[in-house]
Amino acid sequence: MKLEVRDLKKSFGETEVLHGISFSVESGRALGLLGRNGAGKTTTIRILMDVFKADSGMITVDGKPFVLKDYQIGYLPEERGLYPKKTVGEQLVYLAMLRGMSAKDAKAQTKKWLARMGVSEYEDRKLETLSKGNQQKVQLAQTLLTSPKLIMLDEPFSGLDPVNSQILKEVIKEEIQNGKLVIFSSHQMSYVEEFCDDIAILNHGDVVLQGDLKEIKREFGRDRLVLSSLSESPKELSECLENAFSDLLDVEKVQKDRVIIRKKQDRNKADILKRLVDEEIDLEFFGLYEPSLNDIFVEKAGDES
């Protein structure tokens, strides 16, 4: 299954919040939908969930118009939607039946997913009596009750401790490996890097970067190197490089324990290393730069304009 979003636009009053965004995601892969607050992530997800309509654009599955009622969708919203004064079991059964399950299947799936999340003991407890982490695990159980083919997760790890986070990580990975199509929105870049094959970064209602995460990292690391010195601080090393090696490289960034440089277009890594050795720079590390997703995100969506 392949879901494609094409040239989606949406305005509220006179303010256009989506300016024609496009991206795609396939079964067995996870897409990280990223952006700062106000970038358009939640609006996009709500259009996918048919909470409101786009002004223009198209959403298709395998080339055909996407009709929400034709698919089992698992949706975990950032703002939680379960009933705090109802017992865990009764509301999960009720919600599963609303989505088309028989009472028998709904009860079986509720027990299965509560056990998988490690919260079976709370089946007959009111939701409000559970810790925030256990409430979140119940939320994810609700998301997966009907074996959805399309799963949308909006900040799924919000408020979780490391133990509960590990359980959710295992479950999400299993769903991806089982061929589910996952759209994953989070501000926690480490989780996105762990799960997502593809990313789409939104900034002020536009997609400013999208594609395979590995290829994007490779492209962002192109022509960049990382250096550190045993005897000089990153700031001192940076000043040395700018003064004595400007014909070979440009200093891009000085970090806590290293310097990131970009080699000149007509130079190669061997040229730079040879000159550093000849000049007796006391190198601790010299190698290719592999950016983190956080580095990429800040570069593409870090402006304040």
Side-chain angles (χ1 to χ4, degrees):
M1 187 167 76
K2 182 176 182 179
L3 182 143
E4 292 184 271
V5 171
R6 302 176 188 169
D7 200 26
L8 218 59
K9 294 183 180 180
K10 179 64 181 178
S11 295
F12 295 103
E14 296 182 355
T15 304
E16 188 176 65
V17 295
L18 298 180
H19 307 313
I21 68 169
S22 301
F23 59 83
S24 65
V25 58
E26 300 182 25
S27 296
R29 294 176 71 87
L31 170 78
L33 189 62
L34 310 176
R36 296 168 61 189
N37 293 334
K41 305 187 304 298
T42 299
T43 299
T44 301
I45 290 173
R46 287 178 177 172
I47 290 173
L48 284 166
M49 292 301 301
D50 204 26
V51 175
F52 43 64
K53 303 291 185 182
D55 298 330
S56 62
M58 183 177 291
I59 304 170
T60 62
V61 173
D62 295 332
K64 299 177 182 178
F66 175 55
V67 180
L68 188 72
K69 65 181 180 62
D70 293 341
Y71 299 90
Q72 282 291 353
I73 309 288
Y75 177 39
L76 178 67
E78 182 176 7
E79 297 175 2
R80 310 311 176 210
L82 295 181
Y83 302 104
K85 296 189 180 299
K86 296 291 185 181
T87 66
V88 168
E90 70 175 319
Q91 63 180 304
L92 292 191
V93 169
Y94 170 70
L95 291 169
M97 291 176 67
L98 279 182
R99 289 152 68 183
M101 273 191 165
S102 67
K104 180 180 178 181
D105 288 343
K107 290 175 183 177
Q109 286 297 104
T110 292
K111 288 185 179 296
K112 168 191 167 182
W113 280 107
L114 290 180
R116 180 66 186 88
M117 296 295 173
V119 289
S120 293
E121 63 191 284
Y122 305 118
E123 183 176 355
D124 297 321
R125 293 260 299 271
K126 290 182 179 180
L127 185 73
E128 64 183 0
T129 66
L130 276 61
S131 68
K132 186 173 182 180
N134 284 328
Q135 288 187 32
Q136 182 73 334
K137 289 195 285 186
V138 172
Q139 286 274 175
L140 187 58
Q142 177 276 139
T143 302
L144 302 174
L145 276 175
T146 57
S147 300
K149 291 185 177 180
L150 171 58
I151 301 168
M152 286 186 271
L153 305 172
D154 197 353
E155 296 292 351
F157 295 96
S158 177
L160 293 183
D161 60 46
V163 174
N164 284 326
S165 292
Q166 185 60 38
I167 294 172
L168 263 69
K169 282 196 277 188
E170 291 170 359
V171 170
I172 294 170
K173 286 179 179 178
E174 287 171 6
E175 293 300 299
I176 296 168
Q177 290 167 0
N178 288 334
K180 304 300 178 66
L181 186 156
V182 176
I183 296 176
F184 185 96
S185 179
S186 178
H187 289 101
Q188 296 170 286
M189 297 296 160
S190 60
Y191 289 129
V192 177
E193 286 192 277
E194 188 168 352
F195 293 115
C196 295
D197 306 285
D198 307 294
I199 60 168
I201 297 178
L202 276 63
N203 194 29
H204 303 300
D206 292 300
V207 174
V208 293
L209 183 69
Q210 65 171 310
D212 183 279
L213 181 54
K214 289 181 180 177
E215 292 180 3
I216 288 171
K217 282 189 168 190
R218 192 176 302 118
E219 183 61 31
F220 266 73
R222 193 182 303 279
D223 297 333
R224 291 173 173 172
L225 299 168
V226 177
L227 284 72
S228 64
S229 170
L230 288 167
S231 58
E232 296 179 295
S233 69
K235 182 178 180 182
E236 292 169 335
L237 178 59
S238 170
E239 292 172 351
C240 173
L241 295 172
E242 288 177 333
N243 292 330
F245 297 84
S246 59
D247 59 319
L248 293 175
L249 56 87
D250 294 309
V251 174
E252 282 208 344
K253 194 180 299 183
V254 180
Q255 296 183 328
K256 181 179 179 181
D257 58 352
R258 62 183 189 169
V259 178
I260 298 169
I261 66 167
R262 183 184 291 273
K263 63 186 181 66
K264 299 285 190 180
Q265 191 170 10
D266 58 343
R267 300 293 187 168
N268 58 46
K269 185 171 65 172
D271 292 334
I272 297 171
L273 181 59
K274 184 177 184 304
R275 177 84 74 83
L276 290 167
V277 172
D278 290 344
E279 296 291 333
E280 298 183 349
I281 301 298
D282 191 13
L283 288 175
E284 177 185 37
F285 181 84
F286 176 90
L288 297 175
Y289 170 62
E290 181 177 331
S292 67
L293 180 55
N294 190 70
D295 294 335
I296 295 168
F297 181 82
V298 169
E299 184 167 328
K300 299 302 293 185
D303 65 282
E304 295 289 344
S305 60

